[in-house]
Amino acid sequence: SCWHSMRVAVVVLGDVGLSPRMQYHSRSLAEEGNQVDVIGFAGTPCWPTITNNKNISLHLIPTGKKQEPTRFWFIQKILKVIWQTVLLFRLLLWSIERPDYILIQVPPAIPILLVAHIVSWARWSRLVIDWHNYGWTILRVTKKEHYSVTIYRLWERIFGRGAHDYFCVSEAMQKDLYQNWGIRARVLYDRPPEEYRKATLEESHKLFLTNDFGRNSDKSDSAFTIQGSDGKVSYRQNRPILLISSTSWTPDEDFGVLVDAMAELDSKIEKLGKPFPQIRLVVTGRENALTIQYRKDIISRNLKHVTIYTAFLSYADYSTLLGSADLGLCLHQSSSSLDLPMKVVDMFGCQLPVCAINYTALPELVKDNINGLIFKTPSQLAEQIYGLFSSFPCTSELDSMRSNIREEHKVRWHDSWKVTTKGLFVKFTPVPLLFRVAALLVFLYLVVRLVGVF
């Protein structure tokens, strides 16, 4: 293959372990025989397929203690950007061998876009930008019409151009990038890797026994499964319904919608008085201040038929939980309305149907009544869950969705990646730095002479 013996720097200006798409990129590049340098911040452990891969070298930056924002937050941000700039230049210019390609994730865009352009010129590397969203729209969620939003948007517009090639996550984003900024990007849809699949009953049983959300109230056994004397695992006849929602506990996910929906569902079950199974909702994600706030809200609702658990699971346990659940719930509302929730992709990899809140680009991923349901209000979500499980454990509508998901997601990440990147990562001969400096000096001389004429 013409890809062999190349070196690619994959740069994430964030916690690498929490950047699944860039880990997928790294793994795919390594599988094609390339040497990959992954640069980013330490924190969450990377997947074993990354850390144990002989073709992948990790260059992780210690994060240090997180600073609380003060009234001088803008000065804090400037100092942070300066620190990141110095670190990135050191890593990209001196710590790693010259990369043929530099692949960066955006957002965040400051300072990585400018740094990557300078390094790609200095080392004659080709820059590839993977647009996940617009950073300025994420900033707008908290800063509204603050001048920092304008600066960020201008930064992305100026330095987001001029790369060798681009990826983006949806057709809606591809169209927006071209119409507004003249950027032609390849749509690389997120796809589940091979590890995401329907869990076996034995795997589910083991997970349930080791987590509060899976055990009986006396914590002696699994609430969902039972193991016979012959060692065979089966579902309990009166098992609860298992719902899963993954969240990053950020402002672009209104978790209050989910709490309101669970309260309405609980009230509906109570009011109708018909037999209905207990519901266990597991909300996964690293906890922060918002988690504590919503936990208090959940307790104040005094729910009788719905129990909500929070958990932060390992990569393996998270994929097993998705493969064990009955229904996934997605509250992601894109700040730009152009990106797609990767958590839904993971759910589909485990053949898990989804109820997702609606926005512009979502129908590219969630097709109403085919692989899931789309809702707009808490009341709609409550009605959808009640309808899907009204005959539980018989779930014919969900079974039909699972069948559709199986067909849709036969193509996994690496196969899709190879098709989309065809002709992109190819070996080339770099122009020596001396020649490039000479060319730059000639260009500057001509500009000065031209200005002198006028």
Side-chain angles (χ1 to χ4, degrees), residues 284-303:
T284 67
R286 189 183 290 277
E287 297 190 1
N288 60 20
L290 272 177
T291 321
I292 299 164
Q293 177 187 320
Y294 280 117
R295 195 176 281 135
K296 289 178 181 175
D297 186 18
I298 291 163
I299 293 168
S300 71
R301 303 295 181 116
N302 194 27
L303 305 177

Side-chain angles (χ1 to χ4, degrees), residues 216-290:
N216 273 327
S217 53
D218 62 3
K219 299 188 178 181
S220 62
D221 205 351
S222 163
F224 298 88
T225 50
I226 189 166
Q227 190 167 25
S229 55
D230 59 353
K232 191 175 181 181
V233 178
S234 57
Y235 281 121
R236 288 184 179 275
Q237 283 190 337
N238 60 341
R239 72 178 179 95
I241 294 164
L242 180 58
L243 308 181
I244 165 75
S245 181
S246 173
T247 180
S248 51
W249 300 105
T250 52
D252 64 348
E253 289 183 329
D254 187 355
F255 192 69
V257 172
L258 186 55
V259 178
D260 289 344
M262 292 301 109
E264 289 199 35
L265 177 60
D266 192 84
S267 176
K268 183 181 179 74
I269 295 168
E270 186 73 13
K271 186 177 179 182
L272 292 175
K274 296 178 182 178
F276 200 87
Q278 282 291 310
I279 297 170
R280 294 194 179 192
L281 166 61
V282 184
V283 182
T284 67
R286 189 183 290 277
E287 297 190 1
N288 60 20
L290 272 177

Side-chain angles (χ1 to χ4, degrees), residues 199-211 213-215 220-228 231-236 320 324:
T200 64
L201 276 175
E202 287 73 23
E203 290 168 336
S204 300
H205 185 67
K206 185 179 176 183
L207 179 73
F208 294 147
L209 288 174
T210 53
N211 289 277
F213 60 75
R215 291 194 287 253
S220 62
D221 205 351
S222 163
F224 298 88
T225 50
I226 189 166
Q227 190 167 25
K232 191 175 181 181
V233 178
S234 57
Y235 281 121
R236 288 184 179 275
T320 302
S324 307

